[in-house]
Structures are given as structure tokens and as C-alpha cells.
Amino acid sequence: MIDASVGDICVRAVRKLSEGSPGCVIVTGIDTNRFRPWGFRGDQALAAFNQDGCLAVVRKIFPTDGDTNEYGRAPYLLDHEDALTEDRFLPLPNGDIAMLCLCYDSFVFSELALGPTTKLRAMRYKTAVPDGWDDLTPTESWLWLSDLYHRIRTHWPRVLLNPIHGFDAPGREVFWHRHGLACASSFLGGGLAIGAAHYQRTLPTEGFAMLAASRAPPEQVGLANFRTAYTHAPTNSFSVRGSGRRPMNAFIQLHEG
């Protein structure tokens, strides 16, 4: 369930932005507190808001090994509905369809193109009755991703929107950009794949084209270590500096394509 304060803030922001950009939508990542009774961590979710309220909520479908291997933290629990949900495909005001993904979900596109691979081993646990959870086998995981593949082919999204948990500093996202967003762009027929992230130490500077890829060719996915970023340059960008003892700063980019 979305915290009311998060929703209220996003709706107020959309209403303000709609004055200059009618029909705009805010997409944000939300990590929930640990609430499951079986020792699993909370959700890693993404929510989309327009000026009337919440449009969609989706959860991560393609975890990292660290999300589920139980080395020092509670594992993440998956659900088949995460692959089936229609909420993942969001109509945009210009008529395009945006696909909503969360963090490592951008890497699911190379898995769909080249898999099944050993990355399926990270999909370890699923919701189930009567005990609440069960082991998830690679065979079943691949069936789930096949369901997601068919949803993608049905909707043919041209845009990917992906909130990412974060990086230490600018430059640390290059691997992620090449193998995640650029492969997503390739899979979506050269579409626009955009991410947004927290930066722990410093923010990118003006003119730095971060976490946006477009026009990646079909062969991008099969190039392995030779993949390139196919960076999509922003139309404009600006910085916002906070105040107080622990100011929160932001670097904002406008992407068109």
C-alpha cells in the first residue's frame, strides 16, 4: 500500500508541473519496510502518479543475486503477478507506451534475448500457499519471464522508465548504462530508456548525459563486453541545491525523443 505522504507529494508535484506540461506523470521508486512474516524483506516497488492520484504500482521482477542470496540481509520475495501485471505498461500523453521497471529490471532484456542463463538463479523465492512462500526453480522463473516477454510484445513500449537505487559517484553507472539501459533500448527497437538514481557522494554536472540510452541497434544485446552506451543527450538540464544540515541536492535533465 502506498504511503499517503508519498502519494500526496507526487500528486501536488504533478499538478504544478501540469501547468506547463499537461498530462504529465511522475514515476518514483519506493522501498517498503520489512513487513512479511516469513523473514523476507519489504517490496522494491515503482509507482506512477498523475494529478488525480496513483495510476500504477509494480514490483521488481528480475532481482540481483544479492537481493536473494541471504548474505547479510533478508531475501526478496517474487510473485508471478509481477510478470503478468498490465500496470507495467503506462500510456503516455503523446500516445506512446512506457514500460515501468525497477532498478536491475533493465537487465531482464538481455536475459529475454539470450536466455535462459545462469542469472535465473537469483530468482529464488516466490509467494505460495499454504505456507506463504516456496522455492522458485529456474524452469519456473523462465516461464514467468516468458509471460513478461509476451506482455512486452503485446504492448510494444517505446519508452522505458526505471528508478535505480543508486551509485557512489558519477562514472560508477557506466557498466549499468551499457548493459542495462542500452540493452533495453535495443530490445525495444531503439526506443528511449531512461533511469534516475541517487548518488551518494557527488552529483553529475551540467551537460553530463547520465542514464539515458536510445537508438541502440539489435546487435547490441549480443555484444557482451563490447556493448556501448548509445547515450541519449538531454535537451536541457539544471541543478537544485538544498539547504540545512543535511541538504538534498538534485540534478534534473530533460530528455526528448
Side-chain angles (χ1 to χ4, degrees):
M1 191 171 183
I2 297 299
D3 189 303
S5 62
V6 174
D8 290 345
I9 291 169
C10 289
V11 168
R12 289 199 300 269
V14 171
R15 289 175 179 170
K16 184 66 176 177
L17 291 170
S18 293
E19 296 173 5
S21 300
C24 72
V25 174
I26 284 182
V27 173
T28 184
I30 302 172
D31 282 359
T32 68
N33 292 327
R34 182 174 171 178
F35 67 94
R36 299 184 183 276
W38 315 291
F40 292 93
R41 67 199 303 184
D43 288 328
Q44 297 180 38
L46 174 155
F49 297 88
N50 66 6
Q51 60 183 350
D52 297 319
C54 187
L55 291 172
V57 178
V58 299
R59 299 172 67 250
K60 178 187 280 188
I61 182 60
F62 197 58
T64 67
D65 186 67
D67 282 327
T68 60
N69 62 19
E70 301 185 71
Y71 293 167
R73 56 180 178 174
Y76 189 69
L77 189 64
L78 297 168
D79 191 282
H80 192 193
E81 180 60 24
D82 302 329
L84 297 174
T85 179
E86 294 293 321
D87 281 357
R88 195 174 293 277
F89 302 95
L90 181 69
L92 299 177
N94 68 348
D96 284 339
I97 299 293
M99 182 174 175
L100 305 180
C101 290
L102 186 73
C103 205
Y104 200 72
D105 281 347
S106 282
F107 287 77
V108 78
F109 298 98
S110 58
E111 183 68 22
L112 291 174
L114 304 174
T117 74
T118 56
K119 288 184 178 180
L120 292 179
R121 292 182 298 188
M123 300 176 68
R124 289 183 168 93
Y125 305 109
K126 65 177 180 179
T127 58
V129 293
D131 298 324
W133 69 276
D134 201 351
D135 292 329
L136 181 58
T137 66
T139 299
E140 189 173 8
S141 296
W142 183 245
L143 291 176
W144 286 19
L145 294 189
S146 297
D147 290 334
L148 177 62
Y149 175 88
H150 292 303
R151 292 292 186 277
I152 295 171
R153 290 309 186 209
T154 297
H155 292 280
W156 275 110
R158 291 290 297 160
V159 178
L160 176 83
L161 301 176
N162 189 337
I164 304 160
H165 285 95
F167 304 99
D168 288 339
R172 297 296 180 90
E173 72 287 287
V174 173
F175 176 92
W176 212 101
H177 188 139
R178 290 166 52 218
H179 298 282
L181 292 176
C183 285
S185 172
S186 172
F187 193 89
L188 299 179
L192 178 59
I194 302 177
H198 293 280
Y199 284 80
Q200 184 68 27
R201 300 176 186 172
T202 58
L203 285 172
T205 56
E206 302 289 339
F208 179 77
M210 63 173 186
L211 297 176
S214 66
R215 299 180 176 86
E219 59 268 23
Q220 164 77 1
V221 175
L223 293 178
N225 292 334
F226 297 97
R227 292 169 180 161
T228 55
Y230 289 96
T231 299
H232 184 91
T235 304
N236 205 344
S237 61
F238 63 93
S239 297
V240 177
R241 304 195 67 83
S243 60
R245 294 181 58 187
R246 300 184 64 183
M248 183 172 290
N249 305 320
F251 180 62
I252 299 170
Q253 292 184 319
L254 172 63
H255 288 281
E256 297 178 329

